[in-house]
Amino acid sequence: MVTPCDVPVGVITGDNVMKLLKHAKDNGYAIPAFNCTSSSTCNAVLEAASKFNSPVMIQASNGGAAFTVGKSIKDKNAAAAGSVALALHVRAVAPYYGVPVILHSDHCAKKLLPWFDGMLEADEAYFAQYGEPLFSSHMLDLSEEPDEENIAICVEYFKKMAPMKIWLEMEIGITGGEEDGVNNEDVDPEKLYTSPEQVYSVYEALAPIGDMFSIAAAFGNVHGVYKPGNVTLQPARLLKHQEYAKEKIGSDNDKPIFLVMHGGSGSTDDEISTAVKAGVVKMNVDTDTQWAYWDGTRQFVADNHDYLQGQIGNPKGPDAPNKKFYDPRVWIRKAEESMIARCGVSMEKLGSKGTFEPKKPESGSLPVYNFKAVAHNPLKDAVEGASKMVAGLMGKN
């Protein structure tokens, strides 16, 4: 049995993220990262983590975040605003579930960098007020760009993130299929397999800045849903990345690099297990939980068809009310229950199930508004204010 990681419950950031991901790598499990698009899907993930005794990641994609803010909103900052809204919801409710939560943003291609910039702006504002960033981590997916450009942009952003201790996930090598408007269905098959040299080039560029980063190295992964065996995964390649990096660095650690896995739908249990043993600490889950959420609704509608054809009138009588069936809290809950069960499957496959006993707070013990600003030093603030005033006056003369 794995000794639980000593991290707080609720959203964790900075050193605690490193501590948790290192604990996962050292103890042979990975943390599932579930894409969420609403308070309902966030709550389902949190409930699953609490039910199955697992740390968890909640992540927002660009399209999912735009959906969160509202499909009718066409503002250029809609996705950033939706990401912030999702993050604030999770921060407000996560402590009640008693498990550690990593708040993450998913694939950000080059064309989506304004979205990334918006989230970083929110991180900086939150950091200034609360002493930690709003999000725990962000992902840059510049895998469609030449390696040199991909790494250079990651370096530029990592320099901004490192002072706030925000984890950076990056991708080198391409995940096939289509997700959230990024289509790699016709990509050259060779690009679906990242080389050890490519992975090390990322490490070499980012390590001097900080150690809080992970690499999504492609090993045949494909987004979307496929029958097991229909996707040619080669997770054994991941161990070669670790061996190559260990030799180049001269490290005593057999797995010096934090790796992540994308496109896990259709992967066999053995393939997932091999990837985790090679140092994968996170796996994205989206397609399977999307289906599970819908399937819970579908089954409810099928079971209660005759009670869902009008506000009144059902097998009990022409004037019998149906509100107890069409109330969104009823059928959305069925969707959540189905998603919770599927989240549990991922937690079991990744070995995170049972690694963290929930520490739920005593009823009424948490402040309803659980956001505490950092206490400022009035003297320091006054000195800094005076310095800025003098600098301003000197600039005018």
Side-chain angles (χ1 to χ4, degrees):
M1 183 177 177
V2 175
T3 302
C5 185
D6 181 24
V7 292
V9 301
V11 173
I12 61 172
T13 60
D15 293 340
N16 286 317
V17 173
M18 170 60 81
K19 187 185 291 187
L20 179 60
L21 294 182
K22 187 177 185 302
H23 185 269
K25 188 169 65 164
D26 292 348
N27 289 279
Y29 68 93
I31 300 170
F34 298 102
N35 284 66
C36 293
T37 57
S38 64
S39 59
S40 172
T41 50
C42 287
N43 294 351
V45 169
L46 291 169
E47 185 173 342
S50 186
K51 180 178 181 179
F52 297 105
N53 299 2
S54 172
V56 75
M57 295 191 189
I58 288 179
Q59 59 188 27
S61 67
N62 178 271
F67 179 85
T68 299
V69 83
K71 290 291 286 184
S72 67
I73 304 302
K74 305 303 178 187
D75 191 283
K76 66 179 182 179
N77 292 325
S83 300
V84 169
L86 202 74
L88 289 172
H89 169 76
V90 174
R91 278 191 169 276
V93 303
Y96 291 95
Y97 291 87
V99 292
V101 181
I102 293 176
L103 260 178
H104 181 69
S105 64
D106 202 8
H107 296 266
C108 178
K110 187 177 180 180
K111 66 182 179 181
L112 301 178
L113 286 176
W115 167 51
F116 199 97
D117 292 334
M119 290 187 290
L120 275 188
E121 183 181 333
D123 283 320
E124 290 166 354
Y126 198 92
F127 188 90
Q129 189 168 2
Y130 299 108
E132 66 175 349
L134 176 60
F135 289 87
S136 315
S137 62
H138 294 296
M139 184 200 177
L140 284 171
D141 180 2
L142 305 165
S143 56
E144 292 183 315
E145 313 307 324
D147 285 0
E148 186 175 344
E149 182 180 4
N150 178 354
I151 295 170
I153 295 175
C154 286
V155 165
E156 176 188 340
Y157 275 96
F158 195 36
K159 287 178 179 177
K160 298 177 183 178
M161 297 164 67
M164 293 184 282
K165 293 190 175 182
I166 303 174
W167 191 278
L168 171 66
E169 177 185 332
M170 68 83 67
E171 182 164 348
I172 191 160
I174 292 175
T175 300
E178 189 276 334
E179 182 178 59
D180 209 32
V182 178
N183 194 321
N184 291 323
E185 292 175 313
D186 299 320
V187 73
D188 179 354
E190 278 302 308
K191 292 185 178 180
L192 297 178
Y193 301 97
T194 307
S195 71
E197 291 79 8
Q198 286 176 294
V199 172
Y200 182 69
S201 66
V202 175
Y203 179 90
E204 198 173 27
L206 296 182
I209 303 168
D211 56 359
M212 294 184 61
F213 66 91
S214 52
I215 303 170
F219 54 98
N221 322 58
V222 178
H223 286 133
V225 58
Y226 300 87
K227 288 180 64 177
N230 283 10
V231 175
T232 309
L233 287 179
Q234 299 182 21
R237 287 176 176 250
L238 298 177
L239 195 55
K240 295 185 183 300
H241 302 330
Q242 299 284 20
E243 291 169 350
Y244 185 84
K246 177 183 178 181
E247 182 181 351
K248 295 290 285 187
I249 300 166
S251 173
D252 294 332
N253 189 340
D254 288 336
K255 295 179 286 188
I257 295 175
F258 291 92
L259 297 172
V260 300
M261 179 177 176
H262 296 169
S265 298
S267 304
T268 66
D269 291 353
D270 284 345
E271 288 167 339
I272 292 173
S273 176
T274 299
V276 172
K277 288 175 183 176
V280 163
V281 294
K282 168 198 181 235
M283 187 178 87
N284 287 5
V285 185
D286 188 16
T287 303
D288 292 331
T289 44
Q290 284 180 348
W291 169 257
Y293 194 87
W294 155 246
D295 196 40
T297 309
R298 181 197 62 77
Q299 188 61 54
F300 177 78
V301 172
D303 292 344
N304 298 283
H305 175 272
D306 293 345
Y307 295 84
L308 296 167
Q309 303 310 303
Q311 286 187 285
I312 59 172
N314 59 47
K316 293 182 178 179
D319 297 325
N322 294 317
K323 190 178 186 306
K324 290 183 179 180
F325 295 90
Y326 65 76
D327 184 330
R329 292 170 295 181
V330 177
W331 52 267
I332 287 177
R333 180 56 184 164
K334 295 301 179 182
E336 290 174 352
E337 289 172 351
S338 180
M339 184 173 173
I340 290 164
R342 183 57 186 80
C343 289
V345 172
S346 292
M347 291 165 181
E348 185 163 10
K349 288 176 181 288
L350 292 171
S352 69
K353 179 180 177 182
T355 61
F356 193 95
E357 187 70 28
K359 301 173 184 176
K360 291 187 177 181
E362 184 179 345
S363 180
S365 63
L366 287 178
V368 175
Y369 186 78
N370 200 22
F371 296 89
K372 298 177 182 177
V374 174
H376 290 283
N377 183 324
L379 180 59
K380 181 181 177 183
D381 291 348
V383 170
E384 289 178 350
S387 298
K388 289 178 181 178
M389 184 182 298
V390 170
L393 290 172
M394 290 179 66
K396 291 179 180 179
N397 294 334

